[in-house]
Amino acid sequence: MRNRWRAAAAAGAVALSLVAWPAAAGQPARAAAPRAAAAEGCDVLAPGASAAAEKAVRTACSQIGVWYTWGGGHGPAPGPTYGTVDPTDPASEHDPQRRGFDCSGLVRYAYAEATGRDILNGTAHSQYHTPHATARFGAAEGTGPLVPGDLLVWGNAREVHHVAIYLGAGKMVEARQSGTRITVSDVRTGGDFFGAVRVDGAPGQGTFSTWGTDVWTHVEPSTTSARVHKFAGPTSVRVQCQKHAQSVTAEGITNDAWSYLPDHRAWITNIYIKGPAWLDGVPTCR
């Protein structure tokens, strides 16, 4: 997606550079003045959002004019950081000197400020699959059912690679790519637009923690079925139901129970979910 947007994005970056300047060392980078955000039309532009979602929108809007920087916003705590070089993008060569956010770093910061908790610490892919989701929308639904604060994503079921925050009225705020600054854009529903997710500050019902490293989920409750998603380390997952299927031995444990993860549309052996072999309070899949 970077190359397709390079010329237009560069022009936008030049325009924004006239109204923004770098923050002092150790301070969050922000736009030159509140009217810079207003000039970009960055605000809650439609009704229906929760108070937390509206605060997330306005937090993201407060960062209009801040640099996109690859890996930015993924420090120990939410907030702008210096980035790193993206080996796939020559335009990122200056990102280590730019303090700001990448797409998921901005989303992380916005919702941390809105909820008081670091609920979206991760990549765009993990943010889309968050157990804090209360609703999901497919690409075919467009922006019709969306409200401000919903997270728009691009990619596919195996890899979501970009995320932005919906403002309403067909607009979004995003950290788009190296060489540009955080800006308001028209929602792009073509190409590999994948859909949207609505986020709440509290974990959804049936949320559990996984353990282990490089744990794969599968299309079916079997290790011989196709792999779907790998958990690099412990994470929170929402379990819809569980069933007895293939018996698996791993980490010195044998169990035939598998759980269905609706946010990933995949199955995981209960061996890697913290709790008893058969999870308490989770219904049997029918």
Side-chain angles (χ1 to χ4, degrees):
M1 297 173 70
R2 296 188 185 92
N3 292 336
R4 295 200 305 270
W5 302 332
R6 182 69 60 203
V14 171
L16 281 168
S17 68
L18 300 176
V19 297
W21 58 78
Q27 298 297 317
R30 293 187 181 275
R35 59 179 173 271
E40 288 293 321
C42 196
D43 204 345
V44 176
L45 301 181
S50 68
E54 289 191 352
K55 186 172 181 180
V57 166
R58 290 183 173 124
T59 298
C61 287
S62 76
Q63 302 302 295
I64 288 288
V66 172
W67 279 111
Y68 174 102
T69 185
W70 198 65
H74 294 284
T81 64
Y82 293 98
T84 59
V85 173
D86 177 356
T88 68
D89 185 5
S92 73
E93 63 177 324
H94 297 297
D95 285 0
Q97 292 83 47
R98 290 170 173 163
R99 182 177 170 88
F101 300 93
D102 65 12
C103 64
S104 53
L106 177 65
V107 168
R108 176 195 183 193
Y109 176 63
Y111 269 91
E113 290 290 296
T115 65
R117 299 168 56 220
D118 191 10
I119 64 170
L120 294 176
N121 181 8
T123 64
H125 188 83
S126 66
Q127 289 173 345
Y128 175 73
H129 291 291
T130 175
H132 297 275
T134 60
R136 296 182 184 280
F137 308 93
E141 298 176 83
T143 61
L146 304 185
V147 298
D150 289 349
L151 305 184
L152 305 161
V153 298
W154 288 259
N156 54 50
R158 290 184 175 273
E159 181 186 9
V160 169
H161 61 80
H162 186 60
V163 61
I165 301 176
Y166 189 58
L167 302 176
K171 300 289 185 178
M172 62 185 179
V173 56
E174 63 176 336
R176 189 167 181 175
Q177 64 190 43
S178 293
T180 70
R181 299 175 187 263
I182 294 172
T183 189
V184 172
S185 306
D186 293 331
V187 175
R188 301 180 293 274
T189 55
D192 63 350
F193 177 64
F194 189 57
V197 59
R198 187 163 298 154
V199 176
D200 183 67
Q205 185 177 8
T207 299
F208 294 83
S209 294
T210 68
W211 67 281
T213 58
D214 296 335
V215 176
W216 281 95
T217 61
H218 294 265
V219 171
E220 300 293 342
S222 165
T223 58
T224 60
S225 65
R227 291 173 168 181
V228 176
H229 178 74
K230 181 173 71 175
F231 297 127
T235 189
S236 295
V237 293
R238 187 162 58 94
V239 176
Q240 178 175 305
C241 61
Q242 59 189 335
K243 67 185 294 186
H244 294 289
Q246 180 195 36
S247 181
V248 177
T249 299
E251 314 292 345
I253 303 168
T254 299
N255 192 1
D256 71 346
W258 288 72
S259 289
Y260 182 70
L261 311 181
D263 297 328
H264 298 266
R265 299 180 183 176
W267 295 84
I268 185 173
T269 170
N270 282 16
I271 290 171
Y272 289 107
I273 297 181
K274 292 181 180 179
W278 185 258
L279 301 174
D280 296 332
V282 176
T284 301
C285 299
R286 303 297 182 187

